[in-house]
Amino acid sequence: MHIDIISVVPGLLEGPFSHSILKRAEEKGLATVRVHNLRDFATGKQKQVDDYAFGGGAGMVMMVEPIAKCIESLQSQREYDEIIYMTPDGETFDQPMANSLSLQQNLLILCGHYKGVDERIRERYITKEISIGDFVLSGGELAAAVVADAVIRLIPGVLNDETSALTDSFQDHLLAPPVYTRPAEWQGMNVPEVLLSGHEAKINEWRFEASVRRTRERRPDLWAKSGLGESDLKKRKK
């Protein structure tokens, strides 16, 4: 997978892609992330990329021409499966979307800033608009890093344990169950006996029931999406 990210402040993305899983993915040749400074495509001495909004109002707007030049320059090098714009009014990012994007080969992500981008950019180039939640950040860089991390970790071979990503929270609209490690007893608190039994079927059943219980208590909205009901739980126990 190759991901290009367009940013006004590319320095914000240096950290996330130079450590941990994302770094290992690049070292393994499984994913490449390149951040492009939008000012490199601006003209004039000041390399201006924003201007006042027509009609007045507070805040600046990212100009159409630098963004268009940058996108078209990148498009001349490869064909993108999706050109994504990170924006608060985009579709809410979730695990199914991450799963879908992980199957693509080339992604281009445009990070918004100020009051956003000239609407003509969205109309001409953008194929998908994504929000990571109902809140506003100073820019789209951190949101783009979140999307890239969630997507890249799903690529086969990126994680050391191939099954790890498949058992994450949200994969089946259930939260992950509690997890424990050594020591088995700590300050009077014990690991559930079933997890020490070595009985795989019973352990899997305990984890499923714990996932269901945690989801119903903490995220009833996810539980509703799971499509599971009492009859399904009884069938599984049988």
Side-chain angles (χ1 to χ4, degrees):
M1 173 178 285
H2 182 91
I3 301 178
D4 285 302
I5 301 177
I6 302 173
S7 169
V8 176
V9 281
L12 285 176
L13 292 168
E14 291 177 359
F17 299 115
S18 58
H19 300 280
S20 190
I21 291 173
L22 298 181
K23 181 181 180 181
R24 291 204 305 269
E26 182 150 2
E27 291 174 344
K28 291 180 179 179
L30 298 173
T32 303
V33 179
R34 293 290 178 266
V35 182
H36 305 271
N37 191 339
L38 183 60
R39 295 190 188 279
D40 292 340
F41 297 86
T43 58
K45 186 177 181 180
Q46 301 299 324
K47 296 292 183 180
Q48 184 176 353
V49 295
D50 62 302
D51 207 341
Y52 294 103
F54 281 122
M60 307 292 278
V61 178
M62 293 174 68
M63 300 164 65
V64 63
E65 291 181 343
I67 300 174
K69 288 179 181 178
C70 185
I71 291 177
E72 290 178 5
S73 173
L74 294 171
Q75 283 180 317
S76 69
Q77 301 172 41
R78 59 178 45 86
E79 183 176 347
Y80 291 98
D81 299 296
E82 296 282 6
I83 299 180
I84 300 166
Y85 174 48
M86 303 306 305
T87 173
D89 58 355
E91 182 182 358
T92 302
F93 187 65
D94 58 13
Q95 194 61 47
M97 190 188 297
N99 293 342
S100 177
L101 290 175
S102 74
L103 301 177
Q104 306 305 322
Q105 185 173 359
N106 295 308
L107 301 176
L108 174 57
I109 303 177
L110 171 62
C111 300
H113 248 273
Y114 314 116
K115 279 294 184 180
V117 303
D118 188 299
E119 187 67 19
R120 290 167 290 188
I121 290 294
R122 301 171 78 164
E123 294 173 356
R124 173 68 63 85
Y125 300 103
I126 303 302
T127 63
K128 192 173 191 67
E129 301 188 345
I130 297 177
S131 166
I132 63 167
D134 295 339
F135 50 87
V136 179
L137 298 171
S138 299
E141 285 75 16
L142 298 181
V146 166
V147 170
D149 184 289
V151 169
I152 290 174
R153 70 190 304 278
L154 294 172
I155 299 173
V158 170
L159 298 180
N160 291 329
D161 182 350
E162 290 292 340
T163 64
S164 181
L166 300 180
T167 57
D168 286 338
S169 293
F170 310 114
Q171 282 291 11
D172 50 8
H173 296 297
L174 294 177
L175 298 178
V179 292
Y180 302 85
T181 188
R182 291 179 290 183
E185 186 278 331
W186 177 75
Q187 295 188 3
M189 303 172 71
N190 296 305
V191 172
E193 286 293 331
V194 65
L195 299 180
L196 307 176
S197 69
H199 194 301
E200 185 175 358
K202 289 183 178 180
I203 291 173
N204 288 338
E205 186 63 33
W206 181 89
R207 285 174 171 163
F208 174 73
E209 292 178 355
S211 288
V212 168
R213 183 167 56 253
R214 178 166 284 190
T215 305
R216 295 173 80 170
E217 291 173 352
R218 302 185 181 188
R219 291 292 302 274
D221 57 317
L222 280 180
W223 172 247
K225 290 180 181 179
S226 74
L228 294 172
E230 295 301 329
S231 60
D232 298 297
L233 301 182
K234 290 178 181 178
K235 288 179 183 178
R236 185 180 176 98
K237 287 184 178 180
K238 291 179 181 180

